[in-house]
Amino acid sequence: MISSLLVSLTLALDSLLAASSVANTSSVGIMVYDLDIDSCLYEKNARQTMRPASTQKLITGITALNELGDYYQYTTSVSYTGTIDTSYVFCLEDSTHQLRRGSLQGNLYITGVMDPKLDSEDLDILADEIYKMGIDTITGNLCGDATFMDDNKYGQGWCWDDDNPELCSLLFGRKEGLLQNFAKALRKADIVILGNVFEWSCPESAQWLTSCTHSLPEILEKVMKNSNNTYAETLLYHLGATKGKPSTAKKGIAVEEALLKTIYSQLSTDSNSSPRGGREGAPSHRFADGSGLSLYNYLSPEIEVAFLRYAYTHENIYTRLREALPIAGVDGTLEKRMKNTEAENNVRAKTGTLTGVISLAGYCTTKDGHNLAFSIIINGCLNADKARDLQDKICNMLCK
């Protein structure tokens, strides 16, 4: 029964590709894998080296969930050196002493960790907490610790004329600005800064005062649903930070490479994994950034499916990843695609778009309940709509 279905699917996909102007004029790589019977259902140029565009974010996201864990937090901390001198005033209304005024006799430090989710509300909360501690004056300086990452503001292989994010430790939105916006928040909370505002590393002797956190699932949702490049790059740098600070893209990529090696090592010992099951080792590839913006990223459909297979076999990773992926016809970058087809509200996948590159990789479920992982990468196609239409037809066929 399985073999007859396999033949039927192969014939149907081959026929679809043969009739497609996209497949006849562009490079198309496909791999479809049945996760329940642990077998490849279809492949075409599955090991071909191709540019992935934003499906590179799958490599980044899965590695982050594997290495950092879904309880990982981006923690922006505020610390101080010196002493906090506070005074109390007597409140006539209830005959109690209430903390009203005081000063920090020293420096205040905010240590950035490339948190792209930080906004004015977060900084207002930090400033209000400091004021409630009785501090309304900082006699020293306000310093921003920017030692989390190196000083490379842009990724390797990013086009100079593209709308690139700006990478830095003191991230606020898509640009550097955490320190300046924190200063504004402090002043808004009626806290006076007598010293200067500048970047300076926080000494180990500094004492923690307060902090703001955002969870990895919050970051991952923006990476997958909205394909946010800034968020993806910060994930890569947080991976790099596990190898020591300052973090670098190279350190983050080393963590991804280590996981890739582990995945293919596992596949090589699994005789049921096909085709090849990793026994030939990982196909030729190059990871250059976390978002897929780089023109130096190269991988293959097989590598993307290998990561998707690994995620599927680790429940904590798969659950978080599945929640974060766009749903066909429902939300994210797939909101307007595959509507009124079998794939609607079924396919959960990451999209990718660069000039000449249209990619799609993720999961879907067949009518008989089988869970599939797939990757469809199209390179050399300048008609993005036709490329997406081909991908959507393939997904609809898989769901049928």
Side-chain angles (χ1 to χ4, degrees):
M1 180 66 174
I2 291 176
S3 60
S4 63
L5 288 173
L6 242 166
V7 171
S8 176
L9 176 63
T10 300
L11 290 173
L13 288 174
D14 283 346
S15 177
L16 177 63
L17 292 171
S20 168
S21 61
V22 172
N24 288 317
T25 58
S26 309
S27 298
V28 179
I30 303 172
M31 189 172 193
V32 181
Y33 201 91
D34 191 316
L35 297 163
D36 295 319
I37 63 173
D38 195 20
S39 180
C40 180
L41 300 183
Y42 185 84
E43 64 166 332
K44 178 182 176 63
N45 301 323
R47 290 175 68 88
Q48 184 168 317
T49 305
M50 310 179 81
R51 285 177 176 162
S54 281
T55 51
Q56 180 76 30
K57 292 180 174 73
L58 284 171
I59 308 301
T60 307
I62 291 170
T63 306
L65 286 169
N66 183 75
E67 184 70 21
L68 304 175
D70 56 354
Y71 291 104
Y72 183 79
Q73 302 276 347
Y74 281 35
T75 304
T76 302
S77 58
V78 179
S79 307
Y80 71 95
T81 54
T83 59
I84 298 176
D85 179 22
T86 58
S87 59
Y88 291 80
V89 296
F90 189 74
C91 181
L92 294 176
E93 292 184 2
D94 57 8
S95 299
T96 60
H97 285 83
Q98 294 185 346
L99 185 61
R100 290 288 300 276
R101 300 182 63 81
S103 63
L104 167 59
Q105 305 289 325
N107 294 336
L108 189 68
Y109 297 84
I110 184 163
T111 301
V113 292
M114 296 184 75
D115 187 345
K117 199 169 173 59
L118 274 176
D119 57 21
S120 297
E121 183 178 354
D122 292 319
L123 299 187
D124 286 344
I125 290 173
L126 288 176
D128 287 341
E129 288 178 350
I130 293 170
Y131 185 80
K132 288 175 183 176
M133 294 174 187
I135 300 172
D136 66 4
T137 304
I138 300 167
T139 64
N141 304 307
L142 174 62
C143 305
D145 187 326
T147 59
F148 178 80
M149 64 163 286
D150 62 6
D151 57 1
N152 289 325
K153 291 188 178 295
Y154 300 100
Q156 186 183 38
W158 289 4
C159 291
W160 67 269
D161 59 347
D162 207 346
D163 183 23
N164 297 317
E166 187 175 299
L167 307 178
C168 63
S169 297
L170 301 175
L171 197 63
F172 187 81
R174 298 182 73 229
K175 296 180 179 180
E176 186 170 7
L178 173 57
L179 180 57
Q180 293 75 18
N181 281 280
F182 186 48
K184 290 179 183 177
L186 290 170
R187 292 174 181 129
K188 181 181 175 182
D190 294 327
I191 298 174
V192 177
I193 305 169
L194 297 181
N196 297 313
V197 177
F198 56 84
E199 289 187 14
W200 196 260
S201 59
C202 182
E204 291 185 5
S205 59
Q207 299 183 67
W208 177 88
L209 199 61
T210 184
S211 60
C212 174
T213 62
H214 291 116
S215 68
L216 190 145
E218 290 180 273
I219 303 297
L220 190 67
E221 181 178 12
K222 291 285 188 180
V223 172
M224 299 300 172
K225 294 281 189 192
N226 305 109
S227 200
N228 189 291
N229 295 319
T230 305
Y231 279 66
E233 294 302 330
T234 67
L235 272 184
L236 184 68
Y237 274 84
H238 276 260
L239 285 172
T242 64
K243 289 186 168 293
K245 298 175 185 177
S247 179
T248 65
K250 186 176 181 179
K251 289 178 181 178
I253 289 167
V255 180
E256 294 180 335
E257 290 285 359
L259 178 57
L260 177 68
K261 184 177 181 180
T262 296
I263 289 171
Y264 272 83
S265 175
Q266 292 176 358
L267 292 178
S268 68
T269 61
D270 186 352
S271 60
N272 294 322
S273 298
S274 61
R276 291 174 293 275
R279 286 181 286 278
E280 296 179 13
S284 177
H285 67 282
R286 181 179 181 183
F287 300 156
D289 68 6
S291 63
L293 276 175
S294 177
L295 297 181
Y296 300 161
N297 285 312
Y298 284 98
L299 47 69
S300 63
E302 184 186 295
I303 285 179
E304 291 192 335
V305 169
F307 271 82
L308 290 167
R309 289 170 62 189
Y310 180 83
Y312 185 76
T313 58
H314 293 76
E315 185 177 356
N316 59 322
I317 298 176
Y318 178 66
T319 299
R320 291 297 189 185
L321 179 63
R322 193 172 185 277
E323 289 173 351
L325 286 170
I327 306 170
V330 177
D331 64 15
T333 55
L334 286 178
E335 182 178 3
K336 297 180 180 179
R337 293 177 61 176
M338 306 180 216
K339 284 188 174 292
N340 302 315
T341 70
E342 296 291 337
E344 182 178 6
N345 204 25
N346 182 332
V347 167
R348 292 173 181 254
K350 182 72 201 73
T351 58
T353 304
L354 283 175
T355 301
V357 181
I358 300 294
S359 55
L360 185 69
Y363 302 102
C364 67
T365 305
T366 66
K367 271 197 169 181
D368 59 356
H370 279 239
N371 294 298
L372 308 181
F374 66 88
S375 171
I376 310 166
I377 304 177
I378 302 173
N379 280 191
C381 179
L382 297 180
N383 191 320
D385 289 338
K386 285 186 178 181
R388 293 188 186 101
D389 182 62
L390 175 60
Q391 291 173 340
D392 293 354
K393 287 178 179 177
I394 292 173
C395 287
N396 187 43
M397 193 172 289
L398 296 178
C399 293
K400 283 183 177 180

